Amino acid sequence: LSVEENIMATHTVDRASAHEILPQFTARWSSRAFAPTALDEAQLFRVLEAARWAPSGSNTQPWRFVYALRGTPEFARFLELMVPFNRSWAAHAGALVALVSTDTLPDGRPHPSHAFDAGAAWMSLALQAHAMGLHAHAIGGYDRTAAPAALGLPAGFAPQVLIALGHPGDPAALPAELLTRERPSDRKPLSDLVFRGSFAPAQAG
Amino acid sequence: LSVEENIMATHTVDRASAHEILPQFTARWSSRAFAPTALDEAQLFRVLEAARWAPSGSNTQPWRFVYALRGTPEFARFLELMVPFNRSWAAHAGALVALVSTDTLPDGRPHPSHAFDAGAAWMSLALQAHAMGLHAHAIGGYDRTAAPAALGLPAGFAPQVLIALGHPGDPAALPAELLTRERPSDRKPLSDLVFRGSFAPAQAG
C-alpha cells in the first residue's frame, strides 16, 4: 500500500462493536506515532493515578511503576532494554514506564494474581491516557533477563511490560514498515471467546 | 460498628484521587451486594464485548470467558468452586463468569503475558459493567486445582478469576460480617508505587 492508502486504512478498519459499549474501548488503540516531546510529570502522574485505583487480589496492589522522561539519561537506559523494532518507534515517546509487580504476598507466599492485577492497572492507565489525548503502547518485546538489573528491581519484583507514553505524532513521519502497521487492530469475534457453562471446544477427530 | 454506621462508612471512605482522572476509576468498586435476579444475556454480552477490545501481546487475545447464568445448573457448579466465604455472597449474583487464558502462543511457545493480558480484559469488563449500573467482583479465592475440569478447560488454558456479575442489591440485606466489608477499599499513595529512573527502594541498614 502507498503511504496515502495506509493513512486511509487507519480510518477504515472496522472497529464497530458487536454490542453497545463505552466508546473508550474501541477508540483507544496502540499507535506507534509519537510526537518527540517530553511528557509533563503532572500528566504522567494523572495516568498513573488511574492505574493506582485498579482492583487487585485482596487489594494487594502488587503494581509498581518505574519511569523515565524523554531527555533524561534513564530514558536511554529503558530504551536499550527493547528489541530493535520497538526501540525504533518508542524512542520518540514522551516517557517510558516500566510496569512491574511483586510476585510475593505480604506473608511470603507466592502471589497468585500479580501479573493479572498488573494487567488491570495497565488497562486503567491506557484508558486514562486515551482520555487525555495521549498514546499509550505496552511493549512485551524487551530483554526480560536484563530488565530487573536495569530497572533496579529488588528480589521478588517481576517486570511485566514497558509502556511508551506520549503525545500523538504524525503517522506520515513514520518509516514505511511502521506506517503499514499504524492502524487499529481487529479482534476475534465474541463467539470465538465465550462459552456457556463449559469451555467444551470442538473436539477434533 | 452498627449496621447503620457501616452503611454510612460506605459513603465516607476517601476515594478522592490525588491527580485528576476519569470518575469511572474511583467510582467503581467491588461490592458484594447483589440483587438475586438473573442477568440478561444481552447485558452479559455487552460487558464481555468491552473485554474483547482490550490490548494484548501481539494482539493474541489469550482470554476466554465461560459463563453461568443465575438459575441454571451450571451456576451451582461454578459456585462450588469458590471458598465458602465467597460462595456466601456470590450465590446472589446474576451471572458468574470464569475468565481463563491460554498459556501457549500459536507457535507453541509459552505465552509470556497471558495472565497480564487477561487482567486488562477484566478491567475493561469491570468498567463497562460499572457504566451499566452493574456490579462486577473478581474472585481469586476458588479451587484452582478443580477449576479446569469443572469448567471443561482444554490443556493449555489457565483459570484466572471467577467474576460475580449482576444488579446491585441492598447492602442492608448482607449478613453482618459482609456488611462490615461493604465499602470501597482505599489504595496505597502514589508515592509508594512510583519511582523515577530506578526502583531503588530504601535499603535497610
Side-chain angles (χ1 to χ4, degrees), chain A residues 14-22 24-26 28 30 41-42 45-46 48-50 52-55 59-61 63-69 72 74 77-78 99-100 112-113 115-116 118-120 122-124 127-128 131 144 150-154 157 160-161 185-190 192-201, chain B residues 14-22 24-26 28 30 41-42 45-46 48-50 52-55 59-61 63-69 72 74 77-78 99-100 112-113 115-116 118-120 122-124 127-128 131 144 150-154 157 160-161 185-190 192-201:
Chain A
D14 181 13
R15 279 202 150 196
S17 62
H19 302 273
E20 188 195 346
I21 53 176
L22 293 175
Q24 64 181 350
F25 298 116
T26 47
R28 182 219 61 78
S30 297
E41 229 160 21
F45 290 163
R46 287 178 63 193
L48 298 178
E49 175 76 10
R52 181 167 85 94
W53 287 101
N59 199 26
T60 44
Q61 308 163 62
W63 42 70
R64 300 292 183 277
F65 306 91
V66 190
Y67 71 93
L69 296 179
T72 64
E74 53 257 33
R77 175 160 43 85
F78 281 44
L99 172 42
V100 309
S113 64
F116 181 89
W122 148 243
M123 189 74 238
S124 291
L127 292 170
Q128 176 63 31
R144 289 167 189 263
L151 301 169
L153 301 189
F157 281 83
Q160 298 293 339
V161 290
S185 55
D186 203 355
R187 294 291 182 274
K188 301 180 204 291
L190 205 53
D192 284 4
L193 305 174
V194 177
F195 304 87
R196 179 168 175 164
S198 181
F199 196 110
Chain B
D14 180 13
R15 280 204 149 196
S17 62
H19 303 273
E20 187 195 345
I21 53 175
L22 293 176
Q24 65 181 351
F25 298 116
T26 48
R28 182 219 60 77
S30 298
E41 228 160 20
F45 290 164
R46 287 178 62 195
L48 298 178
E49 175 75 9
R52 180 167 85 94
W53 287 101
N59 198 26
T60 44
Q61 310 163 60
W63 43 71
R64 301 291 184 275
F65 306 91
V66 190
Y67 71 92
L69 296 179
T72 64
E74 53 257 34
R77 174 159 46 81
F78 280 44
L99 171 44
V100 309
S113 64
F116 181 88
W122 148 242
M123 189 75 239
S124 292
L127 292 170
Q128 177 63 30
R144 290 166 188 264
L151 301 170
L153 301 189
F157 281 83
Q160 297 293 340
V161 290
S185 55
D186 203 355
R187 294 289 184 275
K188 300 181 206 291
L190 205 53
D192 285 4
L193 304 174
V194 178
F195 303 87
R196 178 168 176 164
S198 181
F199 195 111

Side-chain angles (χ1 to χ4, degrees), chain A residues 37-199:
Chain A
T37 51
L39 193 66
D40 287 344
E41 229 160 21
Q43 288 180 294
L44 173 64
F45 290 163
R46 287 178 63 193
V47 170
L48 298 178
E49 175 76 10
R52 181 167 85 94
W53 287 101
S56 57
S58 301
N59 199 26
T60 44
Q61 308 163 62
W63 42 70
R64 300 292 183 277
F65 306 91
V66 190
Y67 71 93
L69 296 179
R70 181 179 187 74
T72 64
E74 53 257 33
F75 191 88
R77 175 160 43 85
F78 281 44
L79 264 187
E80 281 161 18
L81 290 172
M82 299 178 193
V83 300
F85 172 76
N86 291 323
R87 197 184 304 155
S88 72
W89 56 267
H92 302 287
L96 300 173
V97 179
L99 172 42
V100 309
S101 58
T102 174
D103 60 15
T104 309
L105 290 170
D107 68 5
R109 287 180 301 149
H111 194 310
S113 64
H114 70 101
F116 181 89
D117 295 341
W122 148 243
M123 189 74 238
S124 291
L125 185 163
L127 292 170
Q128 176 63 31
H130 174 72
M132 294 166 63
L134 301 173
H135 283 171
H137 190 136
I139 296 167
Y142 65 91
D143 187 335
R144 289 167 189 263
T145 305
L151 301 169
L153 301 189
F157 281 83
Q160 298 293 339
V161 290
L162 301 180
I163 299 166
L165 189 66
H167 298 279
D170 180 5
L174 290 171
E177 69 160 13
L178 292 178
L179 187 55
T180 58
R181 298 180 180 218
E182 188 63 11
R183 64 184 78 182
S185 55
D186 203 355
R187 294 291 182 274
K188 301 180 204 291
L190 205 53
S191 57
D192 284 4
L193 305 174
V194 177
F195 304 87
R196 179 168 175 164
S198 181
F199 196 110

